């Protein structure tokens, strides 16, 4: 049975303000925990009107506290925005409080625009160029205590020091990210829902080139996709219209809350708009449970994904919960004991 997981952006809609979107995330996490989902990951985005949560570590603690079995993690923490010691401390704390249930997913992108990224980092030690590898190495050194002799950090302790760092996952949408995850021997999650790079090639390359390390002995690839499921294909298409319009606006530089179905259906689409939506639909799986499973199965089999992680953004919160219920039934998840 293929494990299913959730990627959540705490989506803000035109009818759901950010504070309610955060509460909806907690409610959804309880729901999918009972359905038997494997993980619940929360993203880090800043200054986006459609995303309520810029701090996945805070949400992880809230969600882990009200769920029983599901693993809770970041999908991901954007490492360039943070001092590695801060990430080590926060996730060791989470692991100490919820042992065996926390994941640390890490990304290379800022998760925002350049001005916001500058505001986030202006008090940090900013270096020229991409320093992700340096930050990743420092993060792992807080766990291994492998700083060179005489290094000033040798006397610094990431507390609580009796709790390990949770499993580290590298997130990506390119061949570079799959290569890096393979070389450092960590879990890999591929973002099919926005990637232009081929998911099959990325996950195949990761598996073929994986090097066992202290972090993982064997490769493990998560395929992250966007999906909307309803009882019928027609209802799913109706629900997905909000995502279609939202993505169209994002492609034109308009980052707005998710529109209602009524607004999306009434929008005066041009032929160019419809062509853009059709292209974006290659990254969105829409339909009844049978339809969505049939669409996903070839991709899952070709990529040899170990796990499927699903992001669903609908205007109505109950429709989103229903979508995850129907998907769980389609993949025959074993529900948690009461």
């Amino acid at each position: 049975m293929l494990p299913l997981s959730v990627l959540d952006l705490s989506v803000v809609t035109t009818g759901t303000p950010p504070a309610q979107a955060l509460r909806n995330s907690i409610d959804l996490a309880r729901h999918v925990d009972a359905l038997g989902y494997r993980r619940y990951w929360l993203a880090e985005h800043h200054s986006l009107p459609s995303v309520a949560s810029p701090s996945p570590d805070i949400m992880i603690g809230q969600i882990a506290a009200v769920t029983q079995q599901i693993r809770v993690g970041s999908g991901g923490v954007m490492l360039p925005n943070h001092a590695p010691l801060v990430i080590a401390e926060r996730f060791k704390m989470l692991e100490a409080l919820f042992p065996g249930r926390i994941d640390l997913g890490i990304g290379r992108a800022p998760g925002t625009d350049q001005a916001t990224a500058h505001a986030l980092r202006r008090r940090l030690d900013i270096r020229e160029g991409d320093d992700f590898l340096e930050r990743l190495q420092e993060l792992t050194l807080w766990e291994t205590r492998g700083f060179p002799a005489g290094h000033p950090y040798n006397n610094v302790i990431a507390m609580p020091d009796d709790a390990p760092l949770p499993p580290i996952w590298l997130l990506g949408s390119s061949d570079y990210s799959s290569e890096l995850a393979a070389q450092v021997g960590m879990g890999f999650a591929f973002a099919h829902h926005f990637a232009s790079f081929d998911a099959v090639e990325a996950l195949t390359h990761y598996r073929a080139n994986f090097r066992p390390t202290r972090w993982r002995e064997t490769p493990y690839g998560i395929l992250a996709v966007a999906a909307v499921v309803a009882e019928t294909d027609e209802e799913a298409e109706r629900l997905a219209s909000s995502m279609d319009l939202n993505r169209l606006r994002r492609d034109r530089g308009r980052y707005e809350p998710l529109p209602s179905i009524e607004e999306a259906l009434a929008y005066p689409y041009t032929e160019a708009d419809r062509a853009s939506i059709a292209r974006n639909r290659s990254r969105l799986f829409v339909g009844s449970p049978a339809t969505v499973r049939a669409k996903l199965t070839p991709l899952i089999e070709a990529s040899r994904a170990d796990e499927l992680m699903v992001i669903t953004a609908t205007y109505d919160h109950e429709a989103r919960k229903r979508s995850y219920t129907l998907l769980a039934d389609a993949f025959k998840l074993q529900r948690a004991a009461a």
Side-chain angles (χ1 to χ4, degrees):
M1 181 180 68
L2 182 74
L4 296 185
S5 294
V6 175
L7 175 61
D8 183 20
L9 302 186
S10 300
V11 175
V12 180
T13 78
T14 54
T16 307
Q20 183 59 49
L22 295 175
R23 290 189 285 270
N24 285 350
S25 289
I26 294 173
D27 181 60
L28 178 62
R30 287 195 188 99
H31 180 69
V32 298
D33 184 32
L35 291 173
Y37 278 74
R38 172 74 57 88
R39 304 174 207 278
Y40 197 100
W41 281 7
L42 299 119
E44 175 186 342
H45 289 285
H46 301 273
S47 191
L48 286 181
S50 59
V51 180
S53 174
S55 304
D57 51 311
I58 293 177
M59 288 297 292
I60 289 168
Q62 295 295 311
I63 286 173
V66 298
T67 52
Q68 300 298 319
Q69 302 182 67
I70 198 166
R71 297 188 66 92
V72 191
S74 54
V77 164
M78 299 296 105
L79 191 55
N81 296 339
H82 310 280
L85 175 58
V86 171
I87 300 305
E89 289 177 331
R90 290 177 180 176
F91 278 82
K92 284 165 75 71
M93 276 189 66
L94 288 166
E95 182 66 25
L97 293 169
F98 308 100
R101 291 185 55 211
I102 304 299
D103 290 324
L104 173 51
I106 295 172
R108 294 174 57 231
T112 190
D113 60 90
Q114 291 186 348
T116 307
H118 182 270
L120 286 166
R121 305 175 192 178
R122 64 188 298 263
R123 300 296 183 184
L124 296 177
D125 178 19
I126 300 176
R127 295 137 197 171
E128 293 296 326
D130 185 349
D131 64 349
F132 177 79
L133 282 176
E134 184 180 347
R135 289 175 180 271
L136 178 61
Q137 181 183 38
E138 183 181 322
L139 176 64
T140 61
L141 287 173
W142 290 115
E143 179 67 11
T144 63
R145 304 303 304 157
F147 291 105
H151 195 283
Y153 293 171
N154 273 328
N155 295 322
V156 181
I157 301 172
M159 294 295 288
D161 63 351
D162 62 339
L165 272 180
I168 300 176
W169 300 79
L170 295 191
L171 316 183
S173 58
S174 67
D175 54 344
Y176 173 84
S177 55
S178 67
E179 175 68 24
L180 177 59
Q183 294 303 310
V184 299
M186 294 176 177
F188 177 52
F190 184 80
H192 173 275
H193 55 291
F194 66 79
S196 56
F197 193 79
D198 181 57
V200 173
E201 183 176 344
L203 286 166
T204 300
H205 182 87
Y206 162 71
R207 189 175 300 280
N209 292 277
F210 181 86
R211 295 180 179 178
T213 65
R214 65 167 288 154
W215 307 108
R216 283 199 69 88
E217 294 182 359
T218 57
Y220 193 100
I222 297 175
L223 174 65
V225 302
V228 177
V229 187
E231 278 80 359
T232 66
D233 290 346
E234 293 75 18
E235 176 61 13
E237 289 289 337
R238 195 178 76 88
L239 293 173
S241 63
S242 293
M243 293 183 73
D244 289 337
L245 178 55
N246 189 250
R247 182 56 189 255
L248 181 68
R249 287 171 167 168
R250 289 188 64 175
D251 288 347
R252 286 155 173 69
R254 294 173 58 188
Y255 293 84
E256 301 176 4
L258 192 73
S260 69
I261 294 169
E262 291 74 19
E263 180 181 355
L265 293 177
Y267 188 85
Y269 297 100
T270 65
E271 289 302 314
D273 291 339
R274 295 188 186 282
S276 179
I277 288 172
R279 287 192 298 271
N280 287 330
R281 276 300 187 96
S282 66
R283 295 189 290 259
L284 177 60
F285 298 86
V286 179
S288 67
T291 296
V292 170
R293 177 159 185 165
K295 290 179 178 179
L296 282 169
T297 296
L299 179 61
I300 293 167
E301 292 179 346
S303 65
R304 296 172 59 199
D306 296 292
E307 184 173 327
L308 185 70
M309 181 170 281
V310 181
I311 176 171
T312 298
T314 59
Y315 183 80
D316 180 69
H317 177 59
E318 292 303 318
R320 182 163 68 141
K321 291 168 65 176
R322 182 62 178 160
S323 180
Y324 281 112
T325 299
L326 294 170
L327 195 66
D329 292 342
F331 281 86
K332 297 179 170 55
L333 289 194
Q334 183 175 354
R335 302 200 177 198

